Every structure is written in C-alpha cells, then in structure tokens.
C-alpha cells in the first residue's frame, strides 16, 4: 500500500489566555491517500479551520505530528515548511485573497514566478483558459464577479499542480449556481491532475460528493467515513 499523502497523527491544539486553557483539537488522527477527496465537516467552532491550517503547516499543533508526502511538517523550520508548502500545497479561501493590484493573469503567475518558473505566463494563461477566464486575463479583481474571482483563485492554486489542495469554505460567499460551477471545476481538476482535495465545508451536498467525510465535534473526530 502506498504511503498516505497526508497523515495527521494524534494532533492536539490548545490555547491559553487569562481565562484558562481552551482545547480546540483533541487527538485528531486520520490519513488520506493520493487523489482522494475529503470533506471536513462540523458545527461552527468545532475546530475545522484550525485543523486545515495545521495540515497546511500554517498553524502549529500543541502535540502530535502531521506528515505531508512523508515529511514531518513540524520537524522543519519555518522557511523549510514554506518551501514544502510552495511545492506541494495549493489553497482556496472563501475570501479569495487575490492581490488587488495584479491582473487575473498576474495573480496566477505569482506562485510560478516565486518558484522560478520560466514558463509562468504560458502556464498561467493556459490554466485561466481551463477555468473559463481566457478572455479576462487583463482584468483586475475589482472588476471581476465573485465567481470569477474564485475561479482565478482556483487557477492560482492548481497552476503549480500541487499534490494537495486545501479549501476553506470555497463556495461560502458565492450564490448557489456559481458555487456549483466552482465546485465542479475543483472536482474536475482533482481528477485531471490527481490532486488530493481537502475541503472544509458546511454544505452537505458538497460533503456528500467527497469520497471521505471527517466529522469534527468539540475538537474530536466524531466520525470518519
């Protein structure tokens, strides 16, 4: 059996302030194979987004281990973690997080340029064409609709052909029809590029389209199917 692309091993996350200690995640333990689609679901405040941030290496666990493509994320220093993330991980956020002073094309080129890719313009142009924005390359985010901005964010995430795509409520700020279009793109690209897809979502319909569902309740895995 091949090594999991993501392995979350007995992860705990606690924060302490003047009122005491709050346990956000408690003994989270699961793994995902390459090409899988997984939805992390649960009520608001259950720890879903914190878990996604830890899987990405953006937040650190209080205890436990996360392995990405076999590499222990938290055995690396911050710079090495960022380098691994740049090579292996794409992100899609509810808030899009596009650079307002860059065109759609420049936003998608950015991660390729940071990686030193000489074909950044060609690859970004092709990816924007694949998400239906071939006619919008020179447009800035402020003149794009919410759905178009999310498709730019998708193109930016997928253009580096990451092993893993992490998405936090990727359709949360979109209307139903636009959200459906964006989700179909994500699943199509998952199949086409073999990217493992991990979604945090409140949407039962989206969760049911994923092969795996991991339910978080009060910081614990209540169910993993």
């Amino acid at each position: 059996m091949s090594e999991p692309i993501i392995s979350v091993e007995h992860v705990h996350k606690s924060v302490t302030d003047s009122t005491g200690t709050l346990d956000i995640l408690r003994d989270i333990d699961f793994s995902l194979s390459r090409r899988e689609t997984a939805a992390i679901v649960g009520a608001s405040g259950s720890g879903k987004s914190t878990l996604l941030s830890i899987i990405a290496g953006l937040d650190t666990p209080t205890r436990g281990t996360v392995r990405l493509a076999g590499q222990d994320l938290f055995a690396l220093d911050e710079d090495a973690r960022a380098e691994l993330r740049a090579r292996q991980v794409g992100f899609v956020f509810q808030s899009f997080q596009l650079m307002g002073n860059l065109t759609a094309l420049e936003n998608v080129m950015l991660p390729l340029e940071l990686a030193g890719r000489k074909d950044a313009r060609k690859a970004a142009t092709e990816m924007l064409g694949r998400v239906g924005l071939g006619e919008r390359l020179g447009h800035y985010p402020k003149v794009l609709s919410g759905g178009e901005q999310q498709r730019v964010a998708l193109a930016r995430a997928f253009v580096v052909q990451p092993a893993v795509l992490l998405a936090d409520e990727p359709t949360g700020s979109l209307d139903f029809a636009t959200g459906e279009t964006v989700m179909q793109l994500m699943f199509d690209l998952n199949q086409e590029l073999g990217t493992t897809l991990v979604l945090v979502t409140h949407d039962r319909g989206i969760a049911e389209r994923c092969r795996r569902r991991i339910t978080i309740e009060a910081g614990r895995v209540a169910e993993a199917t």
Side-chain angles (χ1 to χ4, degrees):
M1 188 172 174
S2 63
E3 180 180 66
I5 184 66
I6 296 169
S7 184
V8 179
E9 303 169 8
H10 303 292
V11 161
H12 296 250
K13 177 68 176 182
S14 303
V15 294
T16 302
D17 61 17
S18 59
T19 62
T21 298
L22 174 64
D23 294 322
I24 300 172
L25 297 174
R26 312 176 193 203
D27 200 27
I28 303 291
D29 197 85
F30 65 89
S31 61
L32 297 172
S33 302
R34 292 180 186 274
R35 307 184 73 94
E36 275 202 286
T37 55
I40 299 174
V41 298
S44 295
S46 59
K48 303 185 304 296
S49 293
T50 299
L51 175 57
L52 201 71
S53 292
I54 288 173
I55 292 171
L58 294 169
D59 196 358
T60 56
T62 307
R63 301 200 309 277
T65 303
V66 175
R67 298 184 196 279
L68 177 62
Q71 175 68 62
D72 181 347
L73 277 180
F74 301 105
L76 303 174
D77 65 24
E78 204 165 314
D79 288 344
R81 252 196 328 271
E83 184 182 337
L84 179 64
R85 207 162 39 236
R87 286 188 284 109
Q88 298 277 7
V89 181
F91 299 93
V92 179
F93 299 96
Q94 181 176 341
S95 56
F96 316 137
Q97 296 198 350
L98 300 176
M99 303 289 286
N101 62 329
L102 300 180
T103 65
L105 180 61
E106 289 165 344
N107 265 283
V108 179
M109 287 172 62
L110 186 59
L112 297 172
E113 291 178 324
L114 291 173
R117 288 267 298 269
K118 303 297 185 188
D119 64 339
R121 180 173 293 274
K122 179 175 183 288
T125 300
E126 287 176 357
M127 185 56 73
L128 281 164
R130 284 159 82 178
V131 300
L133 292 176
E135 304 299 315
R136 309 286 270 167
L137 304 181
H139 290 69
Y140 289 90
K142 66 182 179 183
V143 299
L144 298 174
S145 69
E148 287 172 330
Q149 289 184 58
Q150 190 61 299
R151 282 188 278 160
V152 173
L154 262 184
R156 182 183 60 189
F158 272 110
V159 76
V160 295
Q161 299 198 359
V164 175
L165 182 84
L166 305 174
D168 194 356
E169 298 287 359
T171 62
S173 55
L174 304 177
D175 63 71
F176 177 79
T178 305
E180 281 289 295
T181 301
V182 166
M183 285 311 307
Q184 189 58 53
L185 273 169
M186 292 182 78
F187 284 106
D188 287 348
L189 291 166
N190 155 258
Q191 289 296 309
E192 189 179 332
L193 301 177
T195 298
T196 300
L197 193 57
V198 185
L199 311 171
V200 163
T201 183
H202 283 100
D203 188 315
R204 185 180 295 274
I206 291 172
E208 288 176 352
R209 291 179 66 180
C210 293
R211 183 173 177 271
R212 297 275 304 277
R213 284 179 294 285
I214 299 160
T215 303
I216 307 294
E217 289 181 6
R220 296 184 185 276
V221 175
E223 184 180 13
T225 58

